[in-house]
Amino acid sequence: MPAVIPLESSNAQSIPSNPLWDKPIHDQRSLKIACIGAGASGLLFAYKLQRSFENFELTLYEKNEDIGGTWLENKYPGCACDIAAHAYTWSFEPSPNWSSVYASSDEIHGYFSRFTDKYGLRKYCQFKKRLSRAEWDDEKGQWNIEITDLETGNTTHDWCHFLINGSGVLNAWKWPNIPGLDTFEGDVLHTAKYDRSLDLTDKTVALIGTGSSGIQVLPAILPKVKKVVTFNRSPTWVFPTQAFEQRHYTPEEKEAFAANPKKLEDHRRELDTGIHGLYPLFIQDSPLQKAITSTMHDAMAEKLKGSGLEDKVIPTWGVGCRRITPGVGYLEALVHEKTEVVMSGVKEITAKGLISDEGKEYAADVIICATGFDTSYIPRFPIIGSNGQSLAEAWKDEPTSYLGIAAPGFPNYFMMAGPNSPVGNGPFLIVLEAQVDYMLKFINRYQTENIHSISPKLEAAQDLMEYKDAQMKRMVWDLECRSWYKSGSSSGKITALWVGSSLHYLETISDPRYEDFNFSYNGNRFAFLGNGFSQTEKDMTADWSYYLRDVDDGPFLGRAKHRRVVTKSGTIERSQMDPNSALRVL
């Protein structure tokens, strides 16, 4: 057995003054990280940091009273995820117990709550605390942050090495900008701030908005109300779902999923694969786009037949220009005798009702605003970068991000589901996992090297924006339709979506392009090499000959071979998705 060599050098006093020079290579310095939000993104970051890292301090600042983000806040009638529940889980955390194909917001919140408790993530959360200001201190290499206690109004100050923005895309809900909204004498509700105690029985309800929430609200409230006046300013594609239609899983199905993980995995793969196969739908004039648009037009026309709404509700632009929403019961609700459809926006609100753009007033007892969120990506509080400029100012014309994860001029700052992430072109939670893995690769280098700060180069982000704008011209999202993908405009730049499939994005960020980043160092960049000893030699329980083996079972270093192994190439046979199978997924 070899003699154990002491790690401390006998002539340490001759080594230049640097705390790393007396330590083995890759010494783990203490990390302090602040994350905005304890919704799905923030919880995932906490889980993955806890799983892979040591010697860190993490705080999730959450403005609400509990975890869950959008799934805590959105409690409106009919609120459910528009992605099938078994395709809306973490890749490593399936649930056999989903009650229905499209789970309610309460059930989804329950999933994330169980995830939080299972992995002990609440210890990182500070509730009813809003991170209200962040400013980069380049001298110290840290973010100085201000936290507002939403119960007392008091502010405190703290700092962190890394600032993580997990506040989400659809989180900053907003009232519609309609004159007279505050003069209405009845109840006014927003779908993201809904009061479940309000009884709608025999009430006349005005519903503003035809996005996902409006499409879910109408059929949910119709049985109770006296009448609904729905203001449909613009047409929208609505999918009368087929094979993955909203239905409850039977007790036998749930028992089978719990008893046979392979059966559950097969069902999850079926859903995920179907969603991935839809990507050609989003390419203008593709065979799938043409076929689905034609098929959907006919399916909607059949449901609306005889109502006079066929030419008003069915869009002329291609399917997918706006977010695809399963419209379970929506078209039937539109043609119901208790529903009055007004094909215009609301010009003004009075004490007793709403005035349409055409000048006609409609009486109402309750107004429900299904008017969405601020999707400009502009932060709701000051984030001041290395050059003294706020992120709001830097992004006033367009949010210029790097891969939806980082922003030039804002060191040690990462975003989840930032601008131009694939939030509408595949299974969303898998994208969040990949983004967190990506940023943790940088944080790992920061913790174990002599790095002061990390930020993407402006020219790299600008090149990405140029590529994105050019490629988006061939996508259906670029058509003339009002969409939150374009910050609520009809013809602006597409700021929300990645210009490719979600699988394309996963491959894009699987290996960081470190050459696209500015790295600054605390003195000598190689100080992390330390005193010449490895971490393995420091570990007296480790195998110092760990590299010896009988066969070469190491990972392939060529991208193509590595990809084929990771994706299990050769194990599946499939053909191109046809319109009927695409409709079954939708």
Side-chain angles (χ1 to χ4, degrees):
M1 180 175 177
V4 176
I5 303 173
L7 296 183
E8 299 298 329
S9 173
S10 60
N11 63 338
Q13 66 273 12
S14 66
I15 297 175
S17 178
N18 189 305
L20 292 176
W21 288 43
D22 282 336
K23 300 176 186 293
I25 187 175
H26 292 147
D27 183 70
Q28 294 183 104
R29 59 170 147 169
S30 177
L31 272 178
K32 189 171 183 179
I33 301 176
C35 179
I36 306 166
S41 299
L43 295 171
L44 176 70
F45 182 86
Y47 164 80
K48 283 184 170 282
L49 185 71
Q50 175 178 270
R51 178 180 182 271
S52 294
F53 284 73
E54 301 169 349
N55 197 22
F56 67 86
E57 178 183 339
L58 170 67
T59 305
L60 307 184
Y61 291 104
E62 172 53 56
K63 62 182 171 60
N64 292 317
E65 71 281 1
D66 195 5
I67 63 93
T70 189
W71 301 115
L72 174 70
E73 295 176 2
N74 286 268
K75 300 179 182 296
Y76 59 83
C79 182
C81 186
D82 56 10
I83 299 173
H86 282 291
Y88 194 77
T89 63
W90 303 128
S91 65
F92 54 88
E93 196 73 17
S95 171
N97 299 314
W98 291 112
S99 66
S100 55
V101 173
Y102 297 101
S104 70
S105 58
D106 288 343
E107 193 171 3
I108 296 170
H109 180 261
Y111 171 83
F112 288 117
S113 185
R114 289 189 299 275
F115 172 74
T116 301
D117 294 338
K118 177 178 178 179
Y119 295 105
L121 306 180
R122 289 185 189 273
K123 62 180 174 285
Y124 303 118
C125 301
Q126 289 195 21
F127 296 112
K128 295 191 175 181
K129 302 288 195 303
R130 186 194 300 274
L131 202 151
S132 46
R133 181 181 173 85
E135 184 167 1
W136 175 251
D137 185 330
D138 198 57
E139 182 178 348
K140 294 182 178 179
Q142 68 185 40
W143 286 95
N144 295 323
I145 57 177
E146 176 188 88
I147 301 97
T148 300
D149 186 315
L150 298 182
E151 291 186 304
T152 66
N154 296 332
T155 60
T156 56
H157 295 85
D158 204 346
W159 65 276
C160 57
H161 293 115
F162 281 87
L163 179 61
I164 311 298
N165 194 332
S167 59
V169 185
L170 303 180
N171 182 263
W173 64 272
K174 59 179 181 179
W175 291 111
N177 186 23
I178 302 174
L181 183 63
D182 58 345
T183 67
F184 184 68
E185 294 179 353
D187 293 292
V188 181
L189 306 171
H190 193 286
T191 48
K193 195 70 174 176
Y194 195 85
D195 181 2
R196 287 183 170 178
S197 66
L198 181 63
D199 186 3
L200 299 181
T201 302
D202 295 329
K203 299 284 181 67
T204 296
V205 177
L207 177 61
I208 307 174
T210 57
S212 297
S213 54
I215 288 172
Q216 291 176 340
V217 165
L218 179 57
I221 66 173
L222 198 61
K224 278 191 174 184
V225 301
K226 177 182 178 182
K227 180 181 179 180
V228 176
V229 181
T230 175
F231 289 84
N232 293 34
R233 179 175 60 176
S234 57
T236 189
W237 288 108
V238 178
F239 293 83
T241 52
Q242 296 183 9
F244 299 142
E245 184 177 7
Q246 175 65 315
R247 66 174 183 84
H248 287 279
Y249 288 105
T250 66
E252 292 76 19
E253 285 177 303
K254 290 187 282 187
E255 288 171 9
F257 288 152
N260 186 349
K262 181 63 168 60
K263 185 177 182 66
L264 175 58
E265 181 182 325
D266 288 345
H267 184 54
R268 296 173 69 205
R269 289 188 187 281
E270 178 190 15
L271 291 166
D272 256 43
T273 299
I275 296 171
H276 286 307
L278 288 174
Y279 179 69
L281 167 66
F282 301 114
I283 301 173
Q284 289 186 38
D285 298 323
S286 70
L288 188 61
Q289 165 61 214
K290 290 178 179 178
I292 290 293
T293 298
S294 175
T295 302
M296 283 306 310
H297 180 281
D298 294 345
M300 287 185 66
E302 180 62 30
K303 295 236 180 203
L304 297 170
K305 190 175 182 179
S307 67
L309 296 174
E310 295 91 332
D311 295 334
K312 300 175 182 177
V313 172
I314 303 175
T316 55
W317 33 264
V319 171
C321 183
R322 294 175 66 177
R323 184 172 175 86
I324 295 171
T325 300
V328 182
Y330 180 72
L331 296 176
E332 293 86 346
L334 276 185
V335 299
H336 195 277
E337 60 183 6
K338 291 201 292 185
T339 303
E340 182 175 0
V341 181
V342 181
M343 294 305 301
S344 82
V346 179
K347 180 172 66 175
E348 184 182 352
I349 295 176
T350 67
K352 300 296 183 182
L354 305 87
I355 300 176
S356 70
D357 290 339
E358 285 74 29
K360 182 179 178 179
E361 184 168 5
Y362 297 84
D365 303 309
V366 178
I367 298 175
I368 298 178
C369 300
T371 48
F373 302 83
D374 178 356
T375 55
S376 67
Y377 291 94
I378 301 298
R380 283 164 282 166
F381 59 90
I383 298 178
I384 312 300
S386 56
N387 60 0
Q389 185 182 43
S390 72
L391 191 57
E393 176 63 22
W395 283 2
K396 68 179 188 305
D397 297 322
E398 180 184 10
T400 303
S401 77
Y402 181 84
L403 297 173
I405 298 174
F410 294 82
N412 296 9
Y413 173 72
F414 291 119
M415 303 166 285
M416 285 171 273
N420 295 118
S421 295
V423 297
N425 16 352
F428 178 54
L429 295 192
I430 307 307
V431 168
L432 291 182
E433 290 187 38
Q435 288 185 333
V436 173
D437 289 346
Y438 183 93
M439 58 186 73
L440 288 179
K441 291 173 183 177
F442 284 87
I443 291 173
N444 174 58
R445 287 195 58 181
Y446 176 91
Q447 187 181 33
T448 58
E449 298 184 31
N450 198 33
I451 295 172
H452 173 270
S453 63
I454 305 167
S455 63
K457 295 176 180 177
L458 178 60
E459 57 267 31
Q462 289 174 333
D463 281 352
L464 269 172
M465 293 297 101
E466 179 182 321
Y467 166 81
K468 180 262 297 184
D469 290 339
Q471 291 292 323
M472 281 296 185
K473 296 184 186 303
R474 67 189 181 93
M475 307 305 296
V476 71
W477 308 311
D478 194 54
L479 296 175
E480 191 84 11
C481 77
R482 187 180 298 276
S483 168
W484 68 264
Y485 294 158
K486 295 174 269 194
S487 297
S489 73
S490 297
S491 56
K493 287 187 176 182
I494 299 160
T495 57
L497 297 174
W498 176 249
V499 65
S501 68
S502 55
L503 291 175
H504 175 261
Y505 184 78
L506 296 184
E507 290 193 34
T508 299
I509 68 170
S510 60
D511 295 307
R513 289 172 48 89
Y514 293 115
E515 65 269 30
D516 290 344
F517 283 77
N518 294 309
F519 285 79
S520 65
Y521 300 89
N522 294 312
N524 189 312
R525 74 185 62 204
F526 291 112
F528 75 92
L529 294 175
N531 60 9
F533 287 95
S534 71
Q535 290 289 334
T536 304
E537 289 163 292
K538 183 180 177 182
D539 184 354
M540 294 302 158
T541 68
D543 179 359
W544 289 6
S545 300
Y546 61 87
Y547 43 80
L548 298 179
R549 57 202 191 277
D550 295 329
V551 296
D552 187 356
D553 57 357
F556 291 116
L557 302 181
R559 195 184 301 275
K561 280 192 173 183
H562 176 72
R563 195 278 305 166
R564 284 195 288 270
V565 171
V566 169
T567 62
K568 304 174 185 176
S569 179
T571 64
I572 302 291
E573 290 186 13
R574 70 170 61 86
S575 58
Q576 294 293 322
M577 181 172 283
D578 62 67
N580 288 329
S581 61
L583 279 174
R584 286 194 292 273
V585 174
L586 295 169

